[in-house]
């Protein structure tokens, strides 16, 4: 579990301090949008592990990737989702609470560390948003994901009115 410290830093200041650069949001690969707003909730479509070079991490957990590499891929998914939030809101201070996270892990039929992989996503949400980043979560094993991604994560976010 991550330690919480009192801080007056904004999410953007934390991103800068951690040298995290938000990627450009790639075009959708289907008939959907990155985010839908309903009242004060944002429903974010699933995002894959987009690397700084614009390529996606690929592979299957338990075959091509270790749990640690899956964790790193889930962190990339979190950074991609923060980029969607930033584009939608303009200011990440408008995030009131990360409500729900659903992580999909492309693993072999005997891979059982889905929660450890999705911790990579959850840890970033807490690092950037503090207690506002603590969320409910599901970590689900799947047989495959788009473009061979090892991880895909979607989420629901409450925003300030």
């Amino acid at each position: 579990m991550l330690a919480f410290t009192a801080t007056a830093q904004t999410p953007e200041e934390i991103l800068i301090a951690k040298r995290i650069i938000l990627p450009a949001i790639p075009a959708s690969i289907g008939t959907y949008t990155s985010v839908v707003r309903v009242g004060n909730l944002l429903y974010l479509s699933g995002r894959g592990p987009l690397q700084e070079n614009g390529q996606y991490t690929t592979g299957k957990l338990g075959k091509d990737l270790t749990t640690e590499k899956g964790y790193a891929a889930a962190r990339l998914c979190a950074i991609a989702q923060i980029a969607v939030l930033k584009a939608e809101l303009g200011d990440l201070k408008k995030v009131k609470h990360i409500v729900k996270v659903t992580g999909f892990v492309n693993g072999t039929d005997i891979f059982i560390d889905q929660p450890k992989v999705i911790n990579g996503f959850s840890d970033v949400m807490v690092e950037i948003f503090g207690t506002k980043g603590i969320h409910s979560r599901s970590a689900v094993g799947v047989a495959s994901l788009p473009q061979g991604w090892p991880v895909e994560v979607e989420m629901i976010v409450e925003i300030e009115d």
Side-chain angles (χ1 to χ4, degrees):
M1 186 71 179
L2 293 174
F4 300 106
T5 56
T7 178
Q9 287 185 303
T10 67
E12 279 90 350
E13 290 169 339
I14 294 168
L15 289 168
I16 291 167
K18 292 183 172 288
R19 295 186 170 105
I20 296 173
I21 299 169
L22 299 179
I25 301 165
S28 299
I29 57 175
T31 309
Y32 64 91
T33 184
S34 294
V35 61
V36 171
R37 182 176 179 167
V38 178
N40 66 339
L41 293 177
L42 297 179
Y43 294 80
L44 281 73
S45 295
R47 289 275 156 204
L50 185 61
Q51 300 172 56
E52 286 185 20
N53 65 7
Q55 300 296 311
Y56 285 97
T57 301
T58 60
K60 187 174 280 288
L61 274 294
K63 178 183 173 195
D64 308 309
L65 300 172
T66 63
T67 300
E68 293 76 20
K69 294 283 187 182
Y71 178 96
R75 286 185 67 85
L76 291 172
C77 293
I79 294 166
Q81 289 291 34
I82 293 170
V84 171
L85 287 172
K86 176 73 174 163
E88 180 70 17
L89 300 173
D91 186 346
L92 293 173
K93 287 189 292 188
K94 294 179 181 177
V95 170
K96 188 172 183 180
H97 198 97
I98 307 300
V99 176
K100 171 71 174 163
V101 167
T102 305
F104 303 93
V105 179
N106 175 7
T108 64
D109 59 353
I110 60 170
F111 185 77
I112 60 170
D113 285 334
Q114 293 87 354
K116 291 179 182 176
V117 169
I118 301 304
N119 280 345
F121 187 97
S122 297
D123 289 351
V124 171
M125 291 299 126
V126 174
E127 288 170 21
I128 303 306
F129 297 106
T131 57
K132 294 177 181 181
I134 299 171
H135 49 269
S136 65
R137 185 182 89 182
S138 298
V140 181
V142 297
S144 67
L145 286 170
Q147 301 181 44
W149 297 340
V151 182
E152 180 178 0
V153 184
E154 64 182 30
M155 68 179 182
I156 301 170
V157 177
E158 182 183 18
I159 58 173
E160 300 291 340
D161 291 328

